[in-house]
């Protein structure tokens, strides 16, 4: 077992709640640059497991003070082996909402959710094993009309296709500008 650190960096806009659009998902793999595709080594033999590598990310938001029920964010998954896509989505100032997500029309699995307080909204994580390569839409849908939705998608390479994730853990910054977690990985 090893330790993987996932860090969201950014600063909330204004004094209000956090929004997915204010943050970037940082890939901490040596030699990679956040939000820039990283060359991926060829597929590993069954005896060797390649390190998980960042592919790319995209973000979108619905704006503010609108009555929206969904947001669409185009995302291109690279042609790397053992692909996985993660979507972080937030609904602002409406903790009663439930969100769902699809990629290219395929339902994504809920990974976890967190809400700092009932007045700030909720953050959701969704995942999909082996998404098709190429450009497709991430669509995040709310259970009812809400003021605003935000979404950030990131695709990854060399992710184990049957045990991609362990148990989700959450933390919120409670008003600070960043938050991070150290997570013990299931496979290294």
């Amino acid at each position: 077992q090893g330790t993987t650190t996932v860090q969201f960096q950014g600063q909330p806009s204004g004094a209000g709640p956090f929004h997915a659009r204010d943050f970037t998902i940082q890939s901490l793999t040596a030699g990679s640059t956040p939000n820039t595709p990283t060359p991926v080594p060829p597929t590993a033999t069954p005896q060797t497991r390649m390190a998980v590598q960042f592919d790319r990310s995209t973000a979108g938001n619905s704006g503010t003070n609108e009555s929206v029920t969904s947001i669409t964010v185009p995302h291109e998954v690279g042609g790397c082996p053992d692909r996985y896509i993660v979507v972080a989505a937030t609904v602002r100032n409406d903790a009663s909402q439930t969100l769902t997500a699809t990629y290219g029309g395929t339902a994504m699995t809920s990974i976890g959710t967190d809400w700092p307080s009932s007045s700030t909204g909720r953050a959701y994580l969704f995942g999909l094993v082996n998404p098709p390569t190429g450009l497709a839409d991430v669509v995040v849908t709310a259970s009812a009309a809400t003021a605003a939705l935000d979404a950030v998608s990131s695709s990854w390479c060399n992710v184990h296709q049957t045990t991609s994730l362990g148990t989700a853990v959450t933390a919120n910054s409670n008003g600070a500008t960043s938050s991070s977690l150290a997570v013990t990985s299931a496979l290294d």
Side-chain angles (χ1 to χ4, degrees), residues 66-169:
E66 298 178 24
S67 180
V68 297
T69 56
S70 68
I71 181 173
T72 300
V73 179
H75 183 90
E76 184 174 4
V77 173
C80 59
D82 299 326
R83 297 173 303 279
Y84 194 86
I85 186 169
V86 176
V87 172
T90 60
V91 57
R92 291 182 252 159
N93 303 322
D94 192 349
S96 67
Q97 291 288 339
T98 301
L99 301 183
T100 58
T102 61
Y103 177 72
T106 301
M108 299 182 76
T109 302
S110 176
I111 298 170
T113 185
D114 189 25
W115 53 96
S117 73
S118 61
S119 64
T120 59
R122 289 187 182 193
Y124 290 80
L125 285 177
F126 300 96
L128 180 64
V129 174
N130 199 26
T133 60
L135 185 64
D137 286 336
V138 170
V139 179
V140 175
T141 305
S143 56
T146 189
L149 295 169
D150 301 304
V152 176
S153 58
S154 63
S155 47
W156 301 82
C157 306
N158 301 318
V159 176
H160 196 283
Q161 299 291 284
T162 55
T163 53
S164 305
L165 302 171
T167 303
V169 294

